[in-house]
Amino acid sequence: DLVAQADSLVFVDAASTNRCIGVYMVNSIWSQFEFPSGTYFNRANLAPVTIAVLEMCGIVAGALLAAQAIQQRPHSTPHHVHIVTDNTNAYYWSLSHKSQCPLLYFFLQLLSLIAAQNSLLITYSWTPSAANPVADAISRNFRGPGMSDHLQLLRRTCQQVPIPPAFLLSTKTASEWPQADPSRTIRLALMPLDGINFWGSVASST
C-alpha cells in the first residue's frame, strides 16, 4: 500500500470553472492557485485548457511544495512522497512519464528534476472524487455544502503557502509552445527549482 508506506501524503484537485487548483499535504501545508493560462498547444493546435491538464499541473505543484516543506525538517533519504489525484488522465501521464504535448512534457520533466534534486521518491495513485474532499474544497474556494469544515481543518493542522511565482511563469511559457523541445524544456523546468526555498520555514503541525 503506497499510501501507508509514504513519508508524506499529498492530495491534489482542480476545478475547470475557475481553473483553480488545490494542493493538500496532510498535516503540513496547503495551497491554492489559478492556472496561468486559458489555452495550451495540443498536437500543434491551440486548445482550451482541460481539467486533465489542470490536474496534472496540480500533481507537479504538489511535488514542488512537498519538496519545499520537507527541506524544513529532518527526513530520510530518499523521502517518499505519495501524490493522490482523482483524474485518470493525469494519473496515467504521471505513471507513463510520456507525452508529445509541450506543456505536459514540461510538467513531466519538472517532476523528474524535483525528485532528483531533493532526493524524493514520488509515487502516484488515483482515488474517486468522493475520497478527495479537502483538495476538492480548496480548488472550489470552499464554496459548497460542508466545505467550510475543511477550511477549519486546514487552519488547525496546516500552514497555507503560496505557489512559487517561477512555477506559474514557466507553466505559462510552456503552454505557449507549439512543439516540445528537450533542451529548452529542461532550461525552463530549472526556473521553479531555483526558487524552491523562497517561502521560508514551515511550522510543524501538532
Side-chain angles (χ1 to χ4, degrees), residues 58-74:
I59 288 175
V60 183
L64 189 63
L65 294 179
Q68 170 61 55
I70 291 161
Q71 284 191 353
Q72 309 303 321
R73 57 179 188 263

Side-chain angles (χ1 to χ4, degrees), residues 126-188:
W126 174 88
T127 192
S129 297
N132 191 19
V134 179
D136 178 66
I138 295 172
S139 70
R140 299 178 189 277
N141 293 310
F142 306 100
R143 295 173 183 168
M147 289 188 178
S148 60
D149 295 338
H150 298 305
L151 178 58
Q152 295 305 316
L153 168 69
L154 292 171
R155 286 173 172 169
R156 291 194 309 269
T157 64
C158 297
Q159 177 183 345
Q160 183 178 7
V161 298
I163 200 73
F167 174 64
L168 297 178
L169 176 60
S170 58
T171 296
K172 187 177 188 304
T173 299
S175 73
E176 297 170 349
W177 288 349
Q179 293 182 333
D181 179 273
S183 61
R184 184 171 62 169
T185 299
I186 294 297
R187 290 196 300 271
L188 187 67

Side-chain angles (χ1 to χ4, degrees), residues 16-203:
S16 58
T17 52
N18 56 2
R19 303 202 314 273
C20 186
I21 297 167
V23 176
Y24 168 48
M25 184 173 172
V26 178
N27 293 328
S28 181
I29 59 172
W30 69 279
S31 189
Q32 178 191 69
F33 64 98
E34 183 178 321
F35 192 83
S37 177
T39 58
Y40 76 113
F41 277 93
N42 185 18
R43 296 184 176 88
N45 296 313
L46 197 61
V49 169
T50 65
I51 186 64
V53 170
L54 295 176
E55 295 269 1
M56 188 65 211
C57 182
I59 288 175
V60 183
L64 189 63
L65 294 179
Q68 170 61 55
I70 291 161
Q71 284 191 353
Q72 309 303 321
R73 57 179 188 263
H75 63 274
S76 59
T77 302
H79 187 95
H80 181 186
V81 176
H82 186 73
I83 302 177
V84 183
T85 178
D86 57 18
N87 185 272
T88 54
N89 285 334
Y91 170 61
Y92 286 118
W93 286 329
S94 301
L95 285 184
S96 68
H97 219 74
K98 293 179 181 179
S99 178
Q100 296 300 314
C101 168
L103 178 58
L104 295 176
Y105 183 72
F106 162 75
F107 284 151
L108 295 173
Q109 295 305 308
L110 180 52
L111 273 177
S112 294
L113 289 171
I114 292 169
Q117 178 173 292
N118 297 279
S119 298
L120 302 183
L121 168 64
I122 305 177
T123 56
Y124 313 92
S125 65
W126 174 88
T127 192
S129 297
N132 191 19
V134 179
D136 178 66
I138 295 172
S139 70
R140 299 178 189 277
N141 293 310
F142 306 100
R143 295 173 183 168
M147 289 188 178
S148 60
D149 295 338
H150 298 305
L151 178 58
Q152 295 305 316
L153 168 69
L154 292 171
R155 286 173 172 169
R156 291 194 309 269
T157 64
C158 297
Q159 177 183 345
Q160 183 178 7
V161 298
I163 200 73
F167 174 64
L168 297 178
L169 176 60
S170 58
T171 296
K172 187 177 188 304
T173 299
S175 73
E176 297 170 349
W177 288 349
Q179 293 182 333
D181 179 273
S183 61
R184 184 171 62 169
T185 299
I186 294 297
R187 290 196 300 271
L188 187 67
L190 290 171
M191 288 175 53
L193 299 180
D194 288 340
I196 200 167
N197 292 305
F198 84 103
W199 45 257
S201 62
V202 176

